[in-house]
Every structure is written in C-alpha cells, then in structure tokens.
C-alpha cells in the first residue's frame, strides 16, 4: 500500500491537474465547435500546414530543461537562471529562423498566406520562454492549483476573442489571434503568480546537468514531433487543404480527451515519484495502480466517442465535416491506449534512463514511418488503421523497456486492463446501436451516451473493478 502522505499529495495534485486539463478541454472543445461551424475545413487545413515547423521549434526552445529541474533534488538560482537564459536565446533564434524560412515554406505548399501567418504565429517564441522558471517552481512545490486557475482564465479570454474574430470574418486569422492571446496571457499570469526574476548568471555546470538529462528527451520529442506531423506534411503537399482539414479535425477530436488524461497523470506522477526514486517496490505498486485506473477511464471514454462519432460530428460541426467521421472512429481505437503507453515512458523518465528512452523511441519512429509510407498511398482511412497497429507495437516496446527498470511486465499490465477493455467494447456496441434506432441526433447522443455509461459503470460495480474504486477515491475531495 502507498503511504498516506504520498496518496494525499497525489490525490490533491490529480484533483487540481484534472480540473485544469478537463476545464481546458471543455473550453477548447466548445470554442473549437463554435469556430468549426463558422470556419471551413480549408481554413483549418491551411493553419495546420506549418505545424511541423512550429512544433520542432517549440521542442528545441523547451529543451526538456524544466523536466530536468523538476527531477533534481535541489535547485539553485543558477539552475533556474541557466534554464531561463537558454530558453530565451533559443526562442529568439527560432523566431529568426522561422521569419526568414516562412517564404520558403509558403512556396513549398504553394500557399502565399503562410508567410505572414508563420511570422505572426512564431512571435510566441519570443515571450513564451519567459515563464520557464515559474513553471518549474510551481511543479516542484506540487502546486497544481495555481496553474489550473491561470489556464482557466487564459482559455476563457483567448477563446472568446477567437470566436469574436471568427464572427467578424477574419477567417483562418481567428485561429492565429486566439493562439497569440493565449500565449501572452499565460506568460503574464505566470509572472503575476510567481514573482521570480533572474538573480544569477548562466552556469556551465548547471547547463551540463540540464543538457545531460534533457538532450536525449529533446531528441525523442523531435522524433515524436516529426512522426506526428509527417502525415500532415504529405497530406498538405499531395492532397487538398480540405483533406488535411478533415484529418486534422478527426485527429484533434480523438486525442483531445486522452491528451488531457495523459497530461493530468504524467504531470502529477513525475514530481511525486521522483521523490521516492530509491524505492522501486513502492513505485511499482503505484504505477500498476495508475495504469489500471487510467485505462479504466480512457477505454470507455474513447469507445463512447467512437460509437457516437457520426451524430456528434453532424450535430456539432455540421455536414461539411462528414468526411472526418470514419477517420475519427478508427483513431479512437488507437488513442484509447495512450495512457498505458505514456505511463510506461514515464517510468523511464522518473528513473533517469533517458538513454533507454531515446533508443526505444528511435525504433518506434522507424516502425511508424514504415507503416505510414505503406498505408498512406491507399488513403486516409488506411493510414488511420495503421495507427492502431502502431499503437500496439509501441505498447509492447515501451512496456518491455520499462520492465528493465521496474518489475512490471507487459503481461501483468494487460491482465490488469483487459477486463476494462472487454467492457469498453460492450460500451462501444451499446452506443453504436442507438445510432440505428433513432433519427434524432440529440437522442442518439443522449441515449447512446447514457446507456453506454450505465452499462460500463454498472457492470464495473457488480464485478468490483479496482479501477472504479480508485477513481471514486480520487474524485472525493476529502
């Protein structure tokens, strides 16, 4: 059993991080629905074209220094100042690079509007790094309440401004405006919450530690970024912006719920478990419980989304987004396993095995690229199916590597989550069947969702699933 102090810290952290991520999810979802009804798939497709370049620049700027500082037992002002200066210099460098490369990217896609779009969007790299020390300080204190409040405010303000801009006819620029406002507010509110100013110089010794821990993780992030965005690059180049917009919307819908869960669990488990890094037995018990609980939540969530994809898309986004329905249904079967895969990677990061982490990510990216190149010529549906296959391959590789650090085998993990998986398939069938019984889209969503939840929770209660008991415990405030 976990000691009460660790359970209490984890519970408080999960509560506020869950509030943060799911409040953000709700607001982003609502804002996304409203803007998608106003804008077109082409608008979303055009703004998604330079995503890979922006994501690569963002990865280099962050450098995983924040994670290195959170894991470190003691953090000095020199450590914070070193991370701050590095991020600031990299941010300025990335902006200059993107500013001058913008015309080349626009020519590559034959889309002239990308030049000003990239140059304006990339402004976030100038001021974004200013909040790096604040993020580290809050997470080291296990203070997830303050970031939750910051996120809530910035999402409401930026979302409202984005919707207003869309209604005023700014088109794709409404998405850019919302992103800029969100970034500015985040930095401003972080500084108001944590009044830190650099009071030390750049330290070579600190940089050596930060770079030593973070460089492999940054390499993995770059691989992940390229792998995640290579398909949009190809789709944007050889298909139409509308096709890219449909794929982008389906992918966003499928990863949004799971990304919130992954963020919640990973953000809390990393600083908490870093404090008991010398007790492998306690870590193993903790991870096994978290994997079981995370999958208990993610499986039915994604199966409900897949089963009700058609009425959800038609009702919320209108018929102009019909082409993303099948893509969304398939992608849900891939993303449902995200928390399990993410927690296995979290084991390696907490243990400091960034070398092992980097090596396995290289292997996975090669496999993913091969699958993508094989299936993409057959169309977007086959490409999405390959992502399901790739997810299972990734789980196997991640769990096998994590087992070298903790005595937690893939077989044990699958035994823990298999009951939830079978029950989630029943939930999928229940929700999908309702779409055939009612003509009203509202009834399809309401009845299908309600029946699916009742079936899942009811059987879980009867069979006394531990995941349900843990989830109930975490939901209780006291």
């Amino acid at each position: 059993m976990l000691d009460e102090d660790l359970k209490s810290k984890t519970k408080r952290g999960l509560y506020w991080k869950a509030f943060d991520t799911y409040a953000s999810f709700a607001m982003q979802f609502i804002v996304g629905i409203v803007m998608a009804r106003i804008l077109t798939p082409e608008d979303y497709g055009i703004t998604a074209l330079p995503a890979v370049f922006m994501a690569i620049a963002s990865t280099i700027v962050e450098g995983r220094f924040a994670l290195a500082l959170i894991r470190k037992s003691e953090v000095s002002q020199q450590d914070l100042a070193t991370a701050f200066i590095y991020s600031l210099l990299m941010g300025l460098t990335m902006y200059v690079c993107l500013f001058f490369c913008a015309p080349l990217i626009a020519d590559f896609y034959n889309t002239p509007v990308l030049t000003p779009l990239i140059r304006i969007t990339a402004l976030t790299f100038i001021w974004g790094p200013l909040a790096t020390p604040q993020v580290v300080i809050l997470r080291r204190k296990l203070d997830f309440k303050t970031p939750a409040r910051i996120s809530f405010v910035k999402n409401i303000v930026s979302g409202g401004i984005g919707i207003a801009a869309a209604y005023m006819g700014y088109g794709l620029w409404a998405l850019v405006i919302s992103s800029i406002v969100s970034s500015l507010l985040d930095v401003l509110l972080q500084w108001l919450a944590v009044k830190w100013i650099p009071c030390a110089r750049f330290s070579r010794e600190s940089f050596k530690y930060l770079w030593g821990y973070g460089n492999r993780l940054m390499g993995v992030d770059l691989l992940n970024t390229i792998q995640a965005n290579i398909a949009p690059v190809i789709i944007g180049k050889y298909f139409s912006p509308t096709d890219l917009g449909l794929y982008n919307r389906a992918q966003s819908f499928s990863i949004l719920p799971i990304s919130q869960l992954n963020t919640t669990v990973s953000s809390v488990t990393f600083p908490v478990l870093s404090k008991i890094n010398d007790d492998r037995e306690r870590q193993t018990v903790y991870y096994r419980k978290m994997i079981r609980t995370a999958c208990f939540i993610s499986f039915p969530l994604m199966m409900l989304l897949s089963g009700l994809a058609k009425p959800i898309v038609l009702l919320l986004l209108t018929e102009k987004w019909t082409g993303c329905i099948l893509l969304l249904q398939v992608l849900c079967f891939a993303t449902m396993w995200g928390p399990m895969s993410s927690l296995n990677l979290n084991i390696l990061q907490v243990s400091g095995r960034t070398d092992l982490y980097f090596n396995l990510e290289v292997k996975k990216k090669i496999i993913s690229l091969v699958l993508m190149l094989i299936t993409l010529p057959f169309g977007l549906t086959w490409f999405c199916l390959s992502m399901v296959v790739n997810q299972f391959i990734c789980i196997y590789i991640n769990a096998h590597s994590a087992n070298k650090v903790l005595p937690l085998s893939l077989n044990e993990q699958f035994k823990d989550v298999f009951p939830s998986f079978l029950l989630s398939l029943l939930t999928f069938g229940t929700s999908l069947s309702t779409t055939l019984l009612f003509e009203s889209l509202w009834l399809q969503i309401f009845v299908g969702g309600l029946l699916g939840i009742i079936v899942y929770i009811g059987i879980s209660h009867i069979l006394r699933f531990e995941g349900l008991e843990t989830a109930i415990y975490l939901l209780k405030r006291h």
Side-chain angles (χ1 to χ4, degrees):
M1 292 292 293
L2 301 176
D3 62 73
E4 291 303 318
D5 182 58
L6 182 60
K7 288 172 67 176
S8 177
K9 289 180 179 179
T10 304
K11 183 177 178 178
R12 288 197 302 270
L14 283 172
Y15 176 82
W16 282 108
K17 192 60 184 178
F19 172 80
D20 179 9
T21 53
Y22 283 99
S24 297
F25 161 71
M27 287 182 283
Q28 290 173 18
F29 184 78
I30 294 172
V31 171
I33 293 302
V34 175
M35 295 186 74
R37 294 176 70 92
I38 303 172
L39 306 178
T40 66
E42 183 178 12
D43 291 330
Y44 277 88
I46 291 175
T47 55
L49 288 174
V52 64
F53 307 102
M54 304 297 292
I56 289 174
S58 179
T59 300
I60 295 173
V61 170
E62 201 275 330
R64 286 287 189 162
F65 280 16
L67 208 60
L69 290 176
I70 293 169
R71 182 180 180 272
K72 195 175 182 183
S73 57
E74 297 291 337
V75 174
S76 66
Q77 287 297 319
Q78 279 190 330
D79 293 328
L80 292 172
T82 299
F84 173 78
I85 294 171
Y86 167 86
S87 299
L88 190 59
L89 291 176
M90 285 298 102
L92 292 171
T93 302
M94 289 300 103
Y95 178 76
V96 172
C97 291
L98 287 169
F99 183 91
F100 288 106
C101 289
L104 300 177
I105 298 172
D107 289 342
F108 174 78
Y109 289 114
N110 194 27
T111 308
V113 73
L114 286 181
T115 297
L117 187 149
I118 292 173
R119 288 175 171 175
I120 293 176
T121 305
L123 287 170
T124 57
F125 292 118
I126 296 178
W127 57 72
L130 295 175
T132 299
Q134 283 76 7
V135 172
V136 171
I137 292 171
L138 289 173
R139 287 189 63 184
R140 283 186 60 84
K141 291 180 178 179
L142 299 181
D143 181 357
F144 295 94
K145 183 177 180 179
T146 301
R149 292 175 170 176
I150 292 173
S151 179
F152 186 78
V153 172
K154 76 171 184 180
N155 282 322
I156 286 182
V157 175
S158 62
I161 292 176
I163 291 174
Y167 269 115
M168 293 171 64
Y170 282 87
L172 60 87
W173 288 103
L175 298 170
V176 177
I177 293 171
S178 179
S179 175
I180 293 290
V181 171
S182 177
S183 178
L184 277 171
L185 276 177
D186 183 64
V187 173
L188 177 62
L189 294 175
Q190 292 277 9
W191 272 80
L192 289 175
V194 181
K195 297 175 176 61
W196 178 91
I197 57 174
C199 55
R201 296 182 179 181
F202 185 90
S203 168
R204 290 186 179 181
E205 183 178 349
S206 293
F207 181 79
K208 184 178 180 180
Y209 165 78
L210 297 174
W211 181 255
Y213 179 86
N215 73 90
R216 290 188 181 91
L217 293 180
M218 183 176 70
V220 170
D221 287 343
L222 288 172
L223 289 174
N224 287 333
T225 298
I226 294 171
Q227 185 268 335
N229 291 278
I230 191 66
V233 170
I234 296 175
I235 295 170
K237 178 64 177 178
Y238 297 104
F239 293 82
S240 69
T242 298
D243 289 328
L244 177 57
L246 293 173
Y247 171 79
N248 179 262
R249 190 89 312 233
Q251 185 188 42
S252 297
F253 261 47
S254 69
I255 66 174
L256 191 56
I258 291 301
S259 65
Q260 311 308 313
L261 181 60
N262 283 342
T263 300
T264 300
V265 175
S266 297
S267 296
V268 175
T269 55
F270 188 88
V272 170
L273 289 182
S274 292
K275 297 181 182 298
I276 57 169
N277 207 21
D278 57 345
D279 193 337
R280 298 304 189 200
E281 184 177 347
R282 291 174 67 198
Q283 283 188 335
T284 302
V285 173
Y286 186 93
Y287 271 114
R288 193 167 183 176
K289 182 181 289 289
M290 291 308 301
I291 290 172
R292 187 163 46 235
T293 305
C295 289
F296 177 83
I297 297 172
S298 69
F299 286 172
L301 183 66
M302 299 313 299
M303 288 300 92
L304 281 174
L305 180 57
S306 181
L308 301 174
K310 183 176 180 180
I312 288 175
V313 170
L314 293 179
L315 181 66
L316 299 181
L317 302 182
T318 71
E319 292 186 358
K320 64 184 177 182
W321 292 94
T322 301
C324 76
I325 294 175
L326 181 58
L327 304 181
L328 173 58
Q329 289 177 317
V330 175
L331 287 172
C332 285
F333 280 86
T335 55
M336 66 185 290
W337 298 92
M340 183 176 180
S341 186
S342 178
L343 280 168
N344 275 280
L345 291 177
N346 192 268
I347 292 173
L348 299 179
Q349 294 180 55
V350 169
S351 302
R353 291 301 306 273
T354 56
D355 56 334
L356 191 59
Y357 185 58
F358 179 78
N359 291 336
L360 70 90
E361 285 298 317
V362 171
K363 296 176 183 177
K364 291 191 301 182
K365 296 306 172 285
I366 293 174
I367 295 172
S368 176
L369 181 61
V370 171
L371 288 173
M372 185 199 70
L373 293 176
I374 292 174
T375 58
L376 195 56
F378 295 97
L380 296 181
T381 302
W382 278 97
F383 171 74
C384 291
L385 286 170
S386 76
M387 295 181 69
V388 179
V389 176
N390 183 64
Q391 185 65 265
F392 281 102
I393 295 174
C394 289
I395 288 175
Y396 172 80
I397 296 175
N398 291 347
H400 178 71
S401 299
N403 195 32
K404 296 179 180 180
V405 177
L406 291 181
L408 182 60
S409 69
L410 178 61
N411 186 45
E412 290 176 319
Q413 294 183 43
F414 269 122
K415 283 183 179 179
D416 286 341
V417 305
F418 191 67
S420 297
F421 173 68
L422 287 180
L423 190 52
S424 69
L425 291 180
L426 180 60
T427 303
F428 169 75
T430 302
S431 61
L432 183 62
S433 64
T434 60
T435 64
L436 305 175
L437 299 177
F438 302 98
E439 292 186 6
S440 169
L441 297 177
W442 282 105
L443 280 177
Q444 290 178 24
I445 296 173
F446 177 75
V447 176
L450 183 61
L451 286 178
I453 293 172
I454 291 174
V455 167
Y456 190 81
I457 299 298
I459 296 179
S460 298
H461 177 69
I462 293 172
L463 298 180
R464 296 184 180 277
F465 280 18
E466 185 178 345
L468 177 61
E469 296 176 0
T470 306
I472 291 174
Y473 167 79
L474 293 174
L475 287 173
K476 293 179 179 178
R477 289 295 303 273
H478 304 289

